[in-house]
Amino acid sequence: MSDLNNQIIKLSIIIPCYNRGEKISKNIEELINKFPYLSFDVILTDDSDVEESSLKLSNLSKKYYLKVKYINNPKRLGYAQNLLKSIKLSSGNYVMILMDDDEIILNNFHNIFKVIDSKNDYAIISSADSNQKLFNKSKLSELQIIDSIGECKH
């Protein structure tokens, strides 16, 4: 998939938001500034009813318009529908789902791209600790519980 500049987007970070614009925007800005060369975008679908939170997210998307897509829902969708909307708007070959109070662990973010670039048939599964686990997709059905996708802390 590609973005507005026809660059292939490898990873879409999707974040359904609700009234936590300040916290998540700070982490996203740190991520973009640390890894401007990595092929990812951020999709923010906003259910907020706090204007300051929405304004923070909107301003972030204006500042980083090549990396951040912000959509303010005119009517509150609720978490499930907001998540589905985020997924539909994603353009990456891979998707990383975060909650708006999660924090991406910056020191480990590049490891996700090492796996993506390896062109092996892997899925990335991790937990809140920084011990990233890799599973061959054919073995994925053997897992009982998948706690989280991506590398984040909650």
Side-chain angles (χ1 to χ4, degrees):
M1 302 261 178
S2 61
D3 72 1
L4 298 174
N5 291 329
N6 292 325
Q7 175 191 15
I8 293 175
I9 301 297
K10 293 180 183 177
L11 179 68
S12 284
I13 302 168
I14 61 170
I15 308 169
C17 302
Y18 183 71
N19 295 338
R20 293 188 183 118
E22 187 164 336
K23 180 178 181 182
I24 194 66
S25 61
K26 181 180 176 195
N27 190 232
I28 291 168
E29 190 159 14
E30 289 171 349
L31 179 71
I32 291 170
N33 289 329
K34 185 166 182 168
F35 300 107
Y37 53 89
L38 291 178
S39 175
F40 70 93
D41 64 358
V42 180
I43 312 299
L44 304 167
T45 52
D46 188 16
D47 253 0
S48 297
D49 55 12
V50 174
E51 190 173 330
E52 291 172 13
S53 178
S54 296
L55 186 60
K56 194 76 168 170
L57 297 173
S58 177
N59 287 341
L60 181 72
S61 72
K62 290 173 185 169
K63 183 175 182 180
Y64 298 104
Y65 63 93
L66 294 176
K67 288 277 191 190
V68 179
K69 184 187 296 184
Y70 170 74
I71 296 86
N72 183 285
N73 299 324
K75 181 181 175 190
R76 188 158 186 266
L77 300 177
Y79 177 74
Q81 291 302 315
N82 201 16
L83 174 63
L84 291 173
K85 184 174 185 176
S86 297
I87 293 169
K88 287 178 186 175
L89 293 168
S90 67
S91 57
N93 294 330
Y94 295 86
V95 173
M96 179 179 192
I97 301 169
L98 295 179
M99 302 293 287
D100 61 358
D101 61 345
D102 288 336
E103 184 178 333
I104 298 169
I105 299 172
L106 299 177
N107 291 336
N108 293 324
F109 186 69
H110 68 280
N111 290 332
I112 294 171
F113 285 87
K114 285 181 183 177
V115 174
I116 290 172
D117 291 339
S118 74
K119 299 191 181 356
N120 289 320
D121 193 22
Y122 286 111
I124 302 171
I125 314 294
S126 70
S127 61
D129 64 24
S130 61
N131 298 320
Q132 190 172 12
K133 304 172 198 99
L134 302 178
F135 296 94
N136 186 297
K137 283 184 182 176
S138 63
K139 303 282 184 191
L140 201 54
S141 62
E142 296 173 17
L143 296 176
Q144 297 299 312
I145 298 173
I146 300 174
D147 291 325
S148 63
I149 300 173
E151 186 70 34
C152 65
K153 63 182 176 184
H154 184 75

